[in-house]
Amino acid sequence: MAVYAADPVLRVGVVQQLRPRPEIDLVDADDAGSARVSLVVVDHVDDDVAALLSRLRHNSATRTGLVIGTLGAGGLQRVVECGVTAVLRRAEADQDQLLRLVLATGNGEGMLPGDLLGDLLHHVGGLRRSALDPGALPLSTLTTREADMLRLVSEGMDTAEIARKTSYSERTVKNVLHEVITRLQLRNRAHAVGYALRNGLI
């Protein structure tokens, strides 16, 4: 198992809890790419964490578990899209729970706090309804962040203005809007705004 942490203190804390457990074989940073399980320990999911999770997803040798402080709106969908199947809140991360998370991840099993499991089932139900009724709008067509940014586009703001207003980087704003346009097969930002307005999403 390899541990990736937002800061050295977090990493040391997790490693010290898991090192005594005979079920766990911790690998050095040099061998992290070949670890069967990658455990990512962070306060929240930002663009850098999402990029790390995506890199790990493309490494077929490893499966990824996540220990997180807070998972904001749309956060669960984001980490699931990055290939994470097991999530534990840091406040609940004692030695036994960490071991359970690592073993579940290694076995390819899912593990979520109860409230997040409810959110995921609600999301899957929405996707199922939209598949059964192609004319119906999927419940998760836009995340809160995507809707907020499209709303600002509809108010005439450019990328730099949206970045200042939302406290995201300009790169993030461009990436979010590009993702919406690509996912919904739209032509440009104006088309995306029109689509969102017509469907009552903003």
Side-chain angles (χ1 to χ4, degrees):
M1 183 194 77
V3 177
Y4 299 82
D7 63 64
V9 174
L10 280 178
R11 186 179 192 286
V12 168
V14 169
V15 167
Q16 285 186 346
Q17 287 207 61
L18 291 176
R19 191 178 298 283
R21 302 301 295 244
E23 306 95 327
I24 303 292
D25 181 21
L26 290 163
V27 299
D28 294 328
D30 294 340
D31 298 320
S34 62
R36 186 164 163 242
V37 173
S38 295
L39 187 62
V40 177
V41 187
V42 293
D43 291 321
H44 59 276
V45 177
D46 57 18
D47 291 338
D48 291 336
V49 172
L52 169 62
L53 294 174
S54 293
R55 281 199 308 274
L56 291 171
R57 180 182 191 179
H58 291 100
N59 176 359
S60 59
T62 196
R63 291 184 172 134
T64 305
L66 179 67
V67 179
I68 190 157
T70 58
L71 198 58
L76 179 60
Q77 181 179 342
R78 191 175 191 192
V79 299
V80 168
E81 287 169 356
C82 290
V84 174
T85 57
V87 177
L88 178 65
R89 287 198 175 91
R90 274 181 52 195
E92 302 163 357
D94 61 19
Q95 189 183 69
D96 290 337
Q97 287 289 76
L98 282 170
L99 178 64
R100 185 170 165 252
L101 177 75
V102 171
L103 295 178
T105 303
N107 291 329
E109 299 168 1
M111 177 177 158
L112 290 173
D115 60 313
L116 293 182
L117 180 59
D119 290 346
L120 181 62
L121 292 174
H122 178 76
H123 175 69
V124 170
L127 293 176
R128 184 173 183 275
R129 283 190 296 277
S130 67
L132 293 173
D133 181 5
L137 190 66
L139 298 179
S140 59
T141 300
L142 295 179
T143 65
T144 302
R145 179 168 72 164
E146 291 168 344
D148 288 344
M149 288 190 186
L150 279 180
R151 193 174 296 108
L152 295 174
V153 171
S154 75
E155 294 171 8
M157 291 190 186
D158 63 20
T159 301
E161 291 169 323
I162 294 171
R164 282 194 297 275
K165 181 85 173 173
T166 60
S167 300
Y168 288 110
S169 68
E170 290 188 35
R171 185 186 71 178
T172 297
V173 172
K174 288 178 183 176
N175 288 344
V176 168
L177 293 173
H178 177 74
E179 164 64 21
V180 171
I181 291 165
T182 303
R183 189 176 73 241
L184 300 179
Q185 300 177 351
L186 304 170
R187 291 187 300 278
N188 50 40
R189 291 183 182 189
H191 192 192
V193 168
Y195 174 91
L197 287 170
R198 278 194 307 276
N199 290 289
L201 299 174
I202 61 172

